[in-house]
Amino acid sequence: MRVVDQETPVYLHRLPVPGEDRYVCLALVNSRFRVSHGQVDLLDGAEAAHLWLVRHGLLPDRVPVNGRQAGRLCALREALRVLFGAHGTGALPPADALDTLNAALAAAPSTPRLAWTADGPRRDDAPDDGNPAAAALSLLAEDATELLTGGDAAQLAECAAQGCERFFLRSHGARRWCTTRCGNRVRAARAYAARGGTSP
Ligand SMILES: [Zn+2]
């Protein structure tokens, strides 16, 4: 079942998944998830993809997104899910997931720049502004590459709550749920089972 409801962005806003504020690629991966009444897809169509990209600061509002570009964004999301999942199990990912990520990296790569302010030198990559939709794809792929190859990769985990499907960065080693909502849901289910499946 596919559910498109107006409440979804509010719902997500209320429950930020740890890591999404630092890695926009995590937000992309988590743009498809389950709720009690079905599947939610925040990239369901060109208009939704446009809204998502603008909301995440990856695309100027005036730049439209066509169906093909929205399809590429969804394909990158699915490839990232596979790659993040492979990272969790330690298995080699399928070649096509890697190819999809690498194609996105090459779509419109940003140019490395060295910026220097009173705070000192820092890397400040300039996105390719000739093709904004492709540049957004490249930025997301660059972000995912940085996450998978950097020091935060060890904290990358998939939520252990059944059917949640969200990825997050562990704030501490034992954390298993993406949000307290998932943790509470699992605890409630366990308590229900411990009572022999009878309601209080
Ligand atoms: Zn969860």
Side-chain angles (χ1 to χ4, degrees):
M1 181 171 64
R2 174 172 279 185
V3 178
V4 182
D5 78 62
Q6 302 294 323
E7 296 297 313
T8 297
V10 178
Y11 168 82
L12 273 181
H13 188 70
R14 272 209 311 264
L15 292 169
V17 174
E20 286 186 4
D21 53 336
R22 291 163 56 209
Y23 292 95
V24 71
C25 66
L26 271 180
L28 175 66
V29 161
N30 293 338
S31 64
R32 171 167 75 70
F33 57 94
R34 288 199 161 275
V35 289
S36 55
H37 52 288
Q39 178 100 20
V40 175
D41 186 353
L42 301 180
L43 304 180
D44 188 17
E47 221 170 287
H50 174 263
L51 185 67
W52 189 92
L53 287 168
V54 170
R55 206 169 253 163
H56 287 85
L58 291 163
L59 194 74
D61 195 15
R62 63 187 154 75
V63 177
V65 169
N66 62 35
R68 201 159 41 92
Q69 291 161 332
R72 285 207 196 103
L73 186 62
C74 288
L76 178 61
R77 174 179 66 185
E78 300 314 311
L80 291 185
R81 290 199 70 86
V82 171
L83 295 173
F84 287 4
H87 178 267
T89 60
L92 282 177
D96 58 346
L98 214 47
D99 289 347
T100 301
L101 176 99
N102 284 327
L105 276 176
S110 54
T111 307
R113 284 168 47 91
L114 181 66
W116 206 307
T117 62
D119 295 332
R122 73 185 156 86
R123 187 177 168 143
D124 183 21
D125 295 356
D128 179 345
D129 50 14
N131 185 347
L137 215 62
S138 283
L139 282 172
L140 283 159
E142 285 166 18
D143 191 61
T145 302
E146 202 181 304
L147 172 55
L148 284 168
T149 58
D152 288 326
Q155 312 309 324
L156 180 63
E158 186 171 4
C159 181
Q162 198 185 4
C164 172
E165 302 174 355
R166 271 178 281 223
F167 283 87
F168 67 102
L169 287 187
R170 286 193 200 96
S171 46
H172 57 83
R175 184 172 179 138
R176 298 183 62 207
W177 327 116
C178 69
T179 57
T180 50
R181 189 189 179 105
C182 271
N184 291 341
R185 195 155 57 83
V186 172
R187 274 188 285 273
R190 276 196 201 130
Y192 180 78
R195 285 195 302 269
T198 53
S199 298

